[in-house]
Amino acid sequence: MSHFDIPPFSDKGQAVSFGGAKPGAAGEAPKPAANSKMSMPTNPTAVFKNESTLSDGTHVAVTTLDGKKSGFKGKVWVWAPKEYNDPKFAKSGFPVMIALPGGSGFPVNYWMGADLKLQASISKWYSEGKSKPFILAMPVLNPEGEQSNKYWDASDIPGQPKMGTWLTDDVPDLMRENFRTIKSRDGWAFMGSSTGGFASLKAVLKYPEKFKAAICSGPDIVPDSLMWKGHEKEKAENNPELLAKQLIDKKGSPDVYLAFQVGDNENNKRTLPDVQKFIATYGKGPIHTSLRVIPGGEHNAKTYVPNMGEGPIQFISKVLEGPVE
């Protein structure tokens, strides 16, 4: 049946435009008011190719991003809800959620697949008043696949590809260049499972001036890549526990919102108590937390997606903005 996945039986691989702009071109766009909360696409426009088409006509599309700040080149999948192309939102900026997978997250990010129904769930939750209509960015998480516990902790480990900069600078820049977004941190969030949950937690705690919220599903709490050996200072700078303490201790720190969800049948029996300890220790001051314990929940994305709608997506959506003009 694989031949049905290529033209003319499928639109996979065809050019996709978002918001009416032609792929590879700047296009015409209305100018926002001087005091607008939204940001028009800053360009240059990336060339997106269709990966899949949802039942509502929206597209999951992919581009190859040559990160200017990290120097890393990799794939990013994107999706915009149907509201993004609704004429009544033509002058509105939309919130962005950067969705990170577990495991190696290379050469694909599993959130781009149709089986987990993340995109359809966001549309459903928005229609139910539970969620913002997030634009999704789904980048690769690591520069290589599974190799004897070789992974990068979503960080700039000395001498290694700068995956921290890739995720927190280059990917957001790609979204600003190509979509109507929100100027402030009020429109920027992360989500992820397992190692992607760790990456999401760390990103918001390390850069609270850039990102306001995260959904962390079955996350690790501390960095544990073997490649940190000999780089203890840099490892500490990427430790969510230490970052949380610094945020609490610093006067005037911005508020951040962390929605955790953990199954009570995770394969790592330390996951739930570690998250509970983190919340008990650091869930105070500017750090606002929630925890959903999933009865019978296992350590996989199929467990996490349906349960996001039962609390976590509402928790962060209440504090994020969008669509806004």
Side-chain angles (χ1 to χ4, degrees), residues 23-168:
E28 294 295 326
K31 291 184 178 180
N35 61 348
S36 174
K37 293 183 177 182
M38 67 90 76
S39 174
M40 293 299 297
T42 59
N43 298 318
T45 305
V47 176
F48 292 102
K49 296 296 181 68
N50 192 42
E51 181 71 26
S52 62
T53 301
L54 278 63
S55 60
D56 64 358
T58 59
H59 302 284
V60 175
V62 63
T63 192
T64 299
L65 172 62
D66 194 348
K68 296 181 180 68
K69 295 176 181 175
S70 68
F72 175 71
K73 186 176 184 178
K75 289 184 177 180
V76 182
W77 290 263
V78 301
W79 172 81
K82 62 182 180 181
E83 289 77 16
Y84 187 81
N85 285 319
D86 188 326
K88 74 177 182 180
F89 291 118
K91 296 182 180 180
S92 296
F94 280 67
V96 174
M97 180 181 285
I98 300 172
L100 304 178
S104 64
F106 183 92
V108 298
N109 176 328
Y110 55 55
W111 297 118
M112 46 68 75
D115 56 331
L116 296 175
K117 301 186 185 304
L118 176 61
Q119 295 82 12
S121 295
I122 288 176
S123 292
K124 177 177 177 289
W125 296 330
Y126 176 61
S127 71
E128 296 171 345
K130 295 179 179 179
S131 174
K132 297 296 184 185
F134 292 102
I135 300 171
L136 291 180
M138 299 164 279
V140 296
L141 181 60
N142 287 317
E144 299 176 20
E146 299 280 7
Q147 291 185 14
S148 63
N149 294 323
K150 190 177 183 182
Y151 51 97
W152 282 256
D153 274 338
S155 303
D156 291 0
I157 300 175
Q160 297 293 327
K162 296 181 178 180
M163 301 312 294
T165 298
W166 159 260
L167 295 171
T168 59

